[in-house]
Amino acid sequence: MERDTISAEAEQAAPVLEGRRIAIVGYGSQGAAHAQNLRDSGMEVRVGLRPGSASRARAEAAGLEVSDVADAAEWADIVAVLIPDTAQPRVYRESIAPHLRPGNTLLFAHGFNVHFGAIDPDPEVDVVLVAPKSPGPMLRREYALGNGVPALVAVHQDVTGDARRKTLAYAYHLGSARAGLLETTFAEETETDLFGEQAVLCGGLTSLIQAGFETLVEAGYQPEVAYFECLHEMKLIVDLAYQGGLSGMRANVSDTAEFGDYVSGPRVIGEESRKAMREILDEIRSGAFARRWIHDSENGNPEFSRFREEGARHILEPVGLGLRRQMAWLAADAAGGASGNGGAPTPEATSAAKGAS
Ligand code: NAD
Ligand code: MG
């Protein structure tokens, strides 16, 4: 209900972006989708990239005008910062901030840097958030089909009195008002995004899969069978839950599976796990996680690199690689084919669709 009201407001706000110049900084997962959707909605768009950027040819092939980040920022009224979060503070300081004029708009698709203070935005510009709840390729695909993907919208700083209308208009032209807009704050978007990816979507999921796999293998079962049971079938279950919620999923598995769900699920994720979740949330909210991640990035990612290597060495990986090679549809994905689920990445394909949100 509230969503519908906001979508209607977004439609009314749409004309505020007419005649305004929008710079899209970065042409990766989100950048490519924002640039093309806004351009196709009739907006005046320019893409800002580093000299020599590998994305330049793709942006030009899509018929977009490309310039250096500084030139695009100078030209624009609205600057959308759509490069990796770890690269944003420096690019903002060096190539964007010097070119902002009072009343301009700085737009983000994730609140991380502003919320945790890694970017201290110019006090004379509006600072807003439009965070589509999908990877860029899906945002683009749905727009092209005449649909949209839902987005979170927020205003951090409103110097013009028009920040909210500009935010809603941007989301509208991105196609997201067709699917629903949800108003939030930089704090809520950032903290829930980090929590979701750490406790549930990425961290929770990978640890759950590995622990289940290891338990079966340690008990003497074949690793290949353990892989099918603990990882491969995950997609089927997740798709059912995505489509119909947990009840929809339970209605589609056997009664035996459903009974086992009730009996055993709460033992796996018991009080100890909930306590860990609360601690994780505390570390996100206090900024402790952000400081650790920023510190690691600024020092060449020693911790991140070590985690990655350890993850890649887990015995589940070669087992899975061997099995996936025998499944024609997965082998095609591994070669870089479309995955058919909104651009979800495969480990073998270096997809632009990274990020959990
Ligand atoms: P990405 O990794 O796909 O961005 C790559 C682009 O950034 C390329 O064009 C590259 O040339 C450019 N780039 C990289 N380093 C640069 C630098 N130092 N200077 C200039 N340009 C540089 O990024 P993404 O995943 O689209 O994320 C962009 C923003 O969107 C982030 O704030 C992210 O949190 C947010 N977001 C991402 C998703 C997603 O699904 N990927 C979803 C919602 C929000
Ligand atoms: Mg996310």
Side-chain angles (χ1 to χ4, degrees):
M1 293 147 5
E2 197 197 355
R3 255 175 32 178
D4 292 346
T5 316
I6 298 178
S7 294
E9 277 184 74
E11 189 171 358
Q12 281 167 10
V16 295
L17 292 191
E18 275 163 24
R20 305 220 204 208
R21 298 160 158 186
I22 305 174
I24 303 294
V25 177
Y27 199 76
S29 178
Q30 289 293 314
H34 287 229
Q36 294 178 84
N37 289 8
L38 293 168
R39 187 266 320 269
D40 292 348
S41 290
M43 300 295 104
E44 204 181 339
V45 172
R46 192 178 286 188
V47 175
L49 293 173
R50 297 177 281 196
S53 167
S55 309
R56 189 180 191 107
R58 285 193 306 118
E60 285 175 349
L64 291 154
E65 206 175 318
V66 180
S67 61
D68 285 355
V69 175
D71 292 340
E74 175 71 39
W75 168 85
D77 302 303
I78 295 164
V79 181
V81 185
L82 301 175
I83 60 176
D85 295 302
T86 46
Q88 290 180 11
R90 201 161 77 95
V91 171
Y92 174 75
R93 247 186 351 261
E94 292 175 359
S95 309
I96 297 174
H99 307 286
L100 294 173
R101 291 181 306 277
N104 280 177
T105 303
L106 195 56
L107 183 142
F108 295 89
H110 181 28
F112 186 93
N113 287 304
V114 170
H115 179 61
F116 290 117
I119 290 178
D120 182 18
D122 185 323
E124 296 194 295
V125 304
D126 291 343
V127 181
V128 307
L129 174 92
V130 175
K133 290 284 95 187
S134 88
M138 182 171 170
L139 178 64
R140 177 59 185 159
R141 183 193 74 203
E142 289 303 308
Y143 178 95
L145 290 170
N147 307 323
V149 302
L152 302 182
V153 294
V155 173
H156 172 75
Q157 183 168 291
D158 181 10
V159 299
T160 63
D162 225 9
R164 184 166 178 276
R165 287 209 309 149
K166 286 190 281 185
T167 311
L168 293 178
Y170 186 101
Y172 177 84
H173 293 298
L174 213 49
S176 291
R178 298 170 187 162
L181 303 177
L182 197 57
E183 208 144 21
T184 183
T185 60
F186 273 58
E188 184 178 61
E189 186 275 335
T190 303
E191 291 165 2
T192 58
D193 187 73
L194 292 176
F195 179 80
E197 62 203 20
Q198 291 180 28
V200 181
L201 305 173
C202 303
L205 180 74
T206 55
S207 286
L208 180 69
I209 290 172
Q210 288 186 346
F213 175 89
E214 286 168 17
T215 301
L216 288 177
V217 172
E218 279 163 23
Y221 296 102
Q222 296 180 70
E224 290 77 9
V225 174
Y227 181 90
F228 275 120
E229 295 307 327
C230 297
L231 189 149
H232 183 80
E233 290 188 27
M234 183 68 75
K235 175 168 168 50
L236 170 75
I237 296 300
V238 168
D239 283 351
L240 289 171
Y242 184 75
Q243 194 69 44
L246 297 181
S247 302
M249 182 277 282
R250 285 165 170 156
N252 277 282
V253 297
S254 69
D255 286 353
T256 310
E258 186 180 355
F259 184 69
D261 170 338
Y262 301 131
V263 167
S264 299
R267 294 173 64 192
V268 175
I269 309 296
E271 185 47 37
E272 212 180 318
S273 294
R274 289 172 188 266
K275 183 165 164 279
M277 286 185 179
R278 289 190 292 269
E279 284 166 9
I280 289 162
L281 185 57
D282 285 344
E283 285 167 27
I284 290 167
R285 294 167 70 146
S286 72
F289 171 81
R291 283 192 294 277
R292 179 177 175 178
W293 172 225
I294 291 167
H295 178 263
D296 198 58
S297 295
E298 285 173 348
N299 288 283
N301 285 129
E303 205 181 14
F304 188 27
S305 305
R306 182 163 48 75
F307 288 148
R308 262 191 181 162
E309 280 162 29
E310 282 167 13
R313 272 205 307 270
H314 194 279
I315 60 151
L316 184 147
E317 296 308 319
V319 172
L321 191 59
L323 291 173
R324 291 194 299 273
R325 281 197 176 127
Q326 296 167 40
M327 294 181 255
W329 68 100
L330 294 180
D333 269 6
S339 55
N341 62 351
T346 58
E348 293 82 3
T350 25
S351 165
K354 52 189 166 37
S357 57

